[in-house]
Amino acid sequence: MSRRVKTVPESIKDYRPVIVTGNDYISLPEIDKYGSVMSVTFLNQAQASLFEVRGIECGDHPFIIPLLEWNGMQVDLRGVCPKVDLKWDWVPEFTWDLPNVSGGPIRLCLRIVAPPDEKGFCYILKLERLGLQSDVSRATRTTSGVNGTAGSDIPATGYSMELSRQEPDGQELNRQGKSEAMKVRAKLGLVCSWGSSMFRVFTSRPISCARSCRYDKWTESVVAEAMGPLPLFGFSINSSEDFNSVDIEESSDDLCRIKVSQDREVAPGDKVTVAYYVAFNREADGARTTGVHLKRVGWEELEERAYSWLRMRRRSLNASNRLESVVNRNLLFNYFFATGKTLDSESLVAVTSRSPRYYVSAAFWARDVLLWSMPALVLTDTARARDVLLYSTRIGTFNVGDHALYMDGTALYPGFELDEAAAHIVGLGTYLDATADYEILEVPGMVEGIRRTLATIEQWLVRDSSGKPVLCRTFLDPSDDPVEFPFLTYSNVLLWKAWMIAFCIFKKLGGEYAHVADELHRDAKALEEAIRRYCVVDGPFGPMYAW
């Protein structure tokens, strides 16, 4: 006798909002409000999983943080809440206004850009010296964020000031000479703390591996690698210009710490930009050469490519700017966190999530991909929607209806769910409605995938003595738990929709499929009648559909 064993997720007890960004290869699922990258994730085809690279296994130690030293003192960037913006709804930008540092005010801007089709991201720091403190007219001041300066607190977001550049009466100074005399030494960089490598399918588990970090003269970058019996992955850190300072602390049982920076002398009115390229690959050599590639292309070009890609896919709404941004932000999140390319094989996959914050991430669920994600994908990029549909049919129709599959299509969490099975055909219908791309049916394996799906559903279908469909059973319900009753209204309505879509497809194909289309049409009509007959109950406000 079967048992109704439920798998109930734990409640989230320590929820903290994060900022996300990424591209097809690299995900940054946990950026905090100070621009710290808590983790980097990427998909791995060989292990059908998600890999996480973190500061520490559990806790708040960031993987990458920005570094600013001003006039010989490190600025506490976590002591001030920066203004946060999302350029084109996807590229995070952090701006610190620091009015009370010695020789200030200064402004630091950080942008984290993951350019399309690249195995890495840019960590771009821009420092602007706005003028001398004595030049600030009636600026409201509160504190300093420089370590060692007591009794003050730098203002948070939105600090603005009006600068007065007028020279004192009777004094004509050589401006160039004055600028040289007023220069302040600044150091712009980042600190990378790598202490944990994680494997994830549903849950995260530490990978036992040797970690190594070194400076590579050939590529003028810092190279790190996770090594088991064979390499697991590598990453590198390169810069738009040569490093002025590289500090590496390597430890087998503690954090590997990498601190890189550029030194600059900054006069009033100067603007200085330094970009760091963080590249990933299957092993260290691929990572360091990928970093060289990013440096050759240059951060300006990489950033413009990102903005161009985002502009082309932006949806315009007759609504407020805020609502339009929310819609586009969610469309991009769906694109980059429900689909992606594996770092090791560059294969497209579709998953529950590329973020470790989701409790069942890095798996293939037909419902999630084809019922939930597909409608948004056809709004963002029909080419990606097409590829996802082909991938889902190729790997997902051999274990049709199983609750969860690995990203290669093998069974992860067995148990037939009617909604998961119907999703394959409903998702195809969503795509065809949006694109009218019936040529996709000619792709080898597509029609066979539809027929495998229909054949599996038939095994769970109840027919009467005349062969007429009654209702279709399911083992698990859409909340992924065993059903109390064998039939669910919602799942049968999905099946009706799937049959109607399949009927239209086979009717269009014609020829040998004409009789299949006729059978599907008759079955869909019979199922609709059965739903209205058996699935309507007396409710508190009259007849209503049962669950």
Side-chain angles (χ1 to χ4, degrees):
M1 182 176 178
S2 62
R3 296 180 58 193
R4 294 186 65 237
V5 179
K6 294 187 175 183
T7 50
V8 181
E10 295 182 7
S11 299
I12 298 174
K13 299 176 181 177
D14 185 24
Y15 171 75
R16 283 169 290 177
V18 294
I19 300 160
V20 304
T21 193
N23 59 24
D24 275 346
Y25 292 105
I26 302 299
S27 297
L28 305 178
E30 301 169 296
I31 304 171
D32 73 9
K33 61 183 179 181
Y34 301 104
S36 300
V37 176
M38 307 305 292
S39 66
V40 176
T41 70
F42 53 87
L43 297 160
N44 183 275
Q45 179 73 35
Q47 297 300 320
S49 65
L50 186 76
F51 280 18
E52 303 170 49
V53 186
R54 313 186 69 90
I56 57 176
E57 181 178 335
C58 298
D60 296 330
H61 201 297
F63 177 59
I64 289 177
I65 61 172
L67 170 70
L68 172 62
E69 292 184 11
W70 180 260
N71 208 14
M73 304 179 71
Q74 183 168 328
V75 178
D76 180 14
L77 296 176
R78 299 187 74 84
V80 183
C81 189
K83 177 184 176 183
V84 182
D85 190 22
L86 290 172
K87 300 175 78 65
W88 291 101
D89 304 311
W90 191 243
V91 176
E93 181 180 63
F94 305 84
T95 303
W96 290 264
D97 280 314
L98 307 171
N100 292 340
V101 297
S102 174
I106 60 175
R107 176 177 293 148
L108 178 68
C109 178
L110 163 66
R111 292 190 303 281
I112 304 175
V113 182
D117 302 318
E118 301 290 356
K119 297 178 180 178
F121 61 94
C122 306
Y123 204 74
I124 305 166
L125 293 162
K126 177 182 177 182
L127 179 64
E128 182 178 2
R129 188 176 178 192
L130 301 173
L132 295 176
Q133 286 182 339
S134 59
D135 292 333
V136 181
S137 299
R138 296 179 299 278
T140 301
R141 304 180 187 181
T142 53
T143 57
S144 165
V146 180
N147 292 340
T149 305
S152 55
D153 189 17
I154 297 178
T157 63
Y159 182 86
S160 62
M161 63 191 72
E162 185 176 334
L163 300 181
S164 172
R165 290 292 194 173
Q166 186 174 355
E167 300 290 348
D169 291 342
Q171 294 186 20
E172 290 294 335
L173 301 176
N174 184 305
R175 291 182 180 272
Q176 183 174 357
K178 179 181 177 182
S179 178
E180 289 294 326
M182 291 181 177
K183 283 187 176 180
V184 174
R185 181 167 292 277
K187 182 174 287 189
L188 283 170
L190 64 79
V191 179
C192 174
S193 302
W194 175 35
S196 177
S197 305
M198 310 284 283
F199 166 97
R200 186 174 183 89
V201 176
F202 286 9
T203 59
S204 298
R205 283 143 285 172
I207 301 173
S208 297
C209 61
R211 287 176 283 113
S212 63
C213 303
R214 61 183 175 86
Y215 179 74
D216 179 56
K217 291 183 178 179
W218 186 51
T219 58
E220 297 180 331
S221 62
V222 177
V223 186
E225 188 171 49
M227 179 71 75
L230 295 171
L232 298 169
F233 64 88
F235 69 90
S236 69
I237 300 174
N238 211 323
S239 175
S240 54
E241 300 182 36
D242 294 343
F243 296 129
N244 291 121
S245 175
V246 177
D247 183 20
I248 299 174
E249 297 176 12
E250 188 173 356
S251 173
S252 60
D253 55 1
D254 200 0
L255 295 172
C256 289
R257 187 172 179 272
I258 303 165
K259 179 180 177 182
V260 293
S261 62
Q262 300 279 339
D263 294 343
R264 293 290 185 273
E265 287 189 337
V266 187
D270 282 355
K271 298 178 183 179
V272 176
T273 301
V274 177
Y276 293 94
Y277 307 107
V278 184
F280 283 78
N281 216 321
R282 298 171 58 172
E283 44 77 49
D285 284 336
R288 63 182 181 146
T289 51
T290 300
V292 170
H293 163 71
L294 295 177
K295 183 173 182 176
R296 285 171 173 167
V297 176
W299 66 268
E300 298 98 333
E301 173 66 20
L302 293 169
E303 188 171 21
E304 178 51 39
R305 288 180 187 177
Y307 296 150
S308 176
W309 190 97
L310 295 168
R311 281 193 298 267
M312 289 175 60
R313 288 159 179 81
R314 184 173 176 81
R315 303 290 297 189
S316 296
L317 306 176
N318 294 321
S320 66
N321 290 337
R322 177 174 172 77
L323 177 59
E324 186 171 298
S325 290
V326 169
V327 169
N328 280 280
R329 175 77 167 153
N330 279 274
L331 289 174
L332 292 169
F333 179 71
N334 173 72
Y335 184 99
F336 285 117
F337 278 79
T339 75
K341 294 180 180 178
T342 58
L343 191 71
D344 56 333
S345 70
E346 301 181 351
S347 302
L348 176 74
V349 298
V351 293
T352 45
S353 179
R354 292 168 63 184
S355 168
R357 288 164 61 88
Y358 187 39
Y359 79 105
V360 283
S361 54
F364 176 84
W365 291 13
R367 174 187 62 225
D368 294 37
V369 172
L370 296 164
L371 293 187
W372 298 352
S373 181
M374 182 59 69
L377 283 176
V378 295
L379 292 175
T380 307
D381 191 314
T382 55
R384 172 55 55 92
R386 188 181 204 270
D387 290 342
V388 165
L389 190 59
L390 292 173
Y391 159 80
S392 300
T393 303
R394 186 179 71 254
I395 67 103
T397 57
F398 288 96
N399 288 302
V400 173
D402 263 4
H403 169 36
L405 306 178
Y406 290 100
M407 64 177 70
D408 61 5
T410 53
L412 168 58
Y413 192 158
F416 180 78
E417 285 188 40
L418 180 54
D419 62 313
E420 299 266 11
H424 284 282
I425 300 174
V426 175
L428 173 59
T430 300
Y431 174 77
L432 292 174
D433 284 346
T435 65
D437 174 25
Y438 286 93
E439 291 182 3
I440 195 172
L441 301 174
E442 300 173 10
V443 175
M446 178 57 72
V447 172
E448 291 79 4
I450 298 172
R451 303 200 72 164
R452 280 196 299 270
T453 300
L454 294 171
T456 300
I457 291 172
E458 182 68 30
Q459 298 172 26
W460 292 83
L461 185 67
V462 175
R463 295 182 181 269
D464 64 17
S465 57
S466 67
K468 195 175 182 179
V470 182
L471 291 171
C472 190
R473 297 174 297 122
T474 186
F475 183 66
L476 300 177
D477 64 21
S479 64
D480 314 319
D481 291 315
V483 292
E484 185 175 356
F485 303 102
F487 305 111
L488 295 179
T489 305
Y490 166 75
S491 298
N492 274 274
V493 171
L494 276 182
L495 175 57
W496 168 82
K497 183 175 179 65
W499 275 351
M500 289 301 294
I501 292 168
F503 154 66
C504 293
I505 288 171
F506 286 119
K507 182 180 179 182
K508 189 170 186 66
L509 290 173
E512 62 180 298
Y513 297 111
H515 74 284
V516 179
D518 292 340
E519 290 175 1
L520 285 166
H521 197 227
R522 286 196 300 270
D523 284 352
K525 281 188 172 181
L527 182 60
E528 180 181 357
E529 293 172 2
I531 291 170
R532 296 185 186 280
R533 177 179 179 183
Y534 297 114
C535 297
V536 177
V537 298
D538 292 330
F541 304 104
M544 61 180 286
Y545 284 104
W547 167 245

